């Protein structure tokens, strides 16, 4: 059996509501620079249970970087260079599916990209050849099942499916846009799912999304969306997200790295 000291670290990218991770026994913090620039925040290294973890606040700490200005390429590359090969992206999302209301946890299996103008690939510039990656299944199924099992074991209300619609932000969507997304098959909507998932795939990393619904999407309730509503849902649901992370670490830590790399 691989000793905890030799296990590869698991990366956790925290979004809105998860700027820091309670329960993480911190052993160090370091600011790094990559060939794609500086990531959103220092890499926080430590342990969650027996598993080595590297935590990165997607929007910075304090929370200050809007979704369309996150340096996703630097974030993923920094984690990769630190030895991470499995990444959990924690996302605050809006619920489109009727069963995905506030404080509900979602572990999606598909994504549709509605973003534009973001630096969305490592394969550009003076290349020796054009590179295409297979992105049929954007979320690693082995990692998804570990999160699903953890949510079930902890009796946390969750959905083990869902199509994540990634929008540009930073504004929330119109009711008409949500109707279009629902026609497209989206079950939830967020602003940071892409290009994060695709960049992880380009690097050959296992990537999985752990979503917390913080509001019903535009037009899906009888009132406008308020920050008070979002903050209340985060307060109610983030404890479940953290329990899933804690319970799933042992399984995620022993996943073998994928063969593709960059």
């Amino acid at each position: 059996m691989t000793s905890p000291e030799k296990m590869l670290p698991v990366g956790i990218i925290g979004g809105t509501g998860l700027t820091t991770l309670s329960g993480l026994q911190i052993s160090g913090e370091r600011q790094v620079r990559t060939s794609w620039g500086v990531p959103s925040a220092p890499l926080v290294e430590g342990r969650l249970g027996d598993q080595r973890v590297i935590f990165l606040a997607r929007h910075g700490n304090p929370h200050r970087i809007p979704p369309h200005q996150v340096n996703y390429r630097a974030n993923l590359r920094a984690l990769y260079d630190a030895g991470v090969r499995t990444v959990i992206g924690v996302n605050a999302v809006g619920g489109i599916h009727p069963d995905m209301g506030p404080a509900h946890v979602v572990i999606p299996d598909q994504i549709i990209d509605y973003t534009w103008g973001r630096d969305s690939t490592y394969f550009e510039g003076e290349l020796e050849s054009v590179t295409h990656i297979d992105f049929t299944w954007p979320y690693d199924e082995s990692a998804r099942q570990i999160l699903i099992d953890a949510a079930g074991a902890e009796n946390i209300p969750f959905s083990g499916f869902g199509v994540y619609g990634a929008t540009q932000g930073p504004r929330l969507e119109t009711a008409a846009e949500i109707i279009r997304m629902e026609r497209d098959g989206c079950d939830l909507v967020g602003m940071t799912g892409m290009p994060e998932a695709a960049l992880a795939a380009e690097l050959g990393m296992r990537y999985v999304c752990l979503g917390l619904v913080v509001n019903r999407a535009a037009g899906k309730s009888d009132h406008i969306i308020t920050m008070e509503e979002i903050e209340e849902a985060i307060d109610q649901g983030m404890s479940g997200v953290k329990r899933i992370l804690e319970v799933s670490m042992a399984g995620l830590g022993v996943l073998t790295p994928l063969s593709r790399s960059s």
Side-chain angles (χ1 to χ4, degrees):
M1 181 179 294
T2 304
S3 69
E5 294 300 326
K6 294 183 179 180
M7 286 182 182
L8 292 175
V10 172
I12 300 174
I13 302 178
T16 301
L18 193 65
T19 302
T20 60
L21 184 60
S22 59
L24 180 64
Q25 299 176 13
I26 298 174
S27 59
E29 181 177 308
R30 57 194 176 97
Q31 182 68 67
V32 300
R33 176 177 289 276
T34 75
S35 54
W36 304 96
V38 177
S40 299
L43 301 183
V44 178
E45 303 181 29
R47 291 188 179 279
L48 203 53
D50 291 331
Q51 175 58 45
R52 292 173 58 207
V53 168
I54 297 180
F55 178 81
L56 175 60
R58 184 187 290 115
H59 298 281
N61 185 13
H63 187 285
R64 60 182 176 79
I65 306 172
H68 65 296
Q69 291 186 322
V70 171
N71 190 339
Y72 296 95
R73 292 193 294 189
N75 286 354
L76 270 298
R77 189 73 219 192
L79 290 173
Y80 185 91
D81 291 345
V84 170
R85 295 297 181 270
T86 298
V87 179
I88 306 172
V90 180
N91 299 86
V93 296
I96 299 175
H97 191 286
D99 293 340
M100 298 179 184
H104 190 74
V105 170
V106 185
I107 304 164
D109 56 355
Q110 275 296 335
I111 195 164
I112 298 176
D113 188 6
Y114 299 95
T115 66
W116 50 269
R118 301 184 180 189
D119 293 325
S120 58
T121 181
Y122 295 109
F123 300 125
E124 63 181 17
E126 297 182 5
L127 301 174
E128 294 182 2
S129 62
V130 175
T131 302
H132 303 284
I133 61 164
D134 176 56
F135 201 51
T136 306
W137 308 108
Y139 302 117
D140 182 78
E141 189 59 27
S142 296
R144 266 189 12 94
Q145 287 302 319
I146 290 170
L147 296 186
I148 287 170
D149 290 345
E154 293 297 303
N155 295 314
I156 296 167
F158 79 101
S159 296
F161 71 93
V163 177
Y164 180 130
T167 59
Q168 179 70 0
R171 66 168 178 83
L172 298 177
E173 301 72 35
T174 68
E177 288 170 331
I178 293 300
I179 290 171
R180 181 189 70 159
M181 293 176 70
E182 188 171 27
R183 285 199 303 263
D184 288 349
C186 295
D187 298 299
L188 56 151
V189 56
M191 300 175 189
T192 55
M194 288 291 285
E196 194 169 275
L199 292 168
E202 288 187 351
L203 291 171
M205 304 167 86
R206 295 180 184 271
Y207 181 88
V208 63
C209 170
L210 181 57
L212 176 65
V213 179
V214 297
N215 60 272
R216 291 198 180 275
K220 292 298 179 181
S221 66
D222 59 1
H223 59 273
I224 63 170
I225 300 167
T226 65
M227 286 307 301
E228 289 78 8
E229 172 188 8
I230 291 173
E231 290 167 1
E232 181 179 350
I234 290 173
D235 289 342
Q236 291 177 358
M238 194 54 71
S239 61
V241 168
K242 292 177 180 178
R243 292 211 312 276
I244 292 171
L245 290 174
E246 292 168 0
V247 172
S248 64
M249 278 301 116
L252 293 168
V254 298
L255 290 175
T256 56
L258 300 174
S259 58
R260 186 174 63 249
S261 64
S262 174

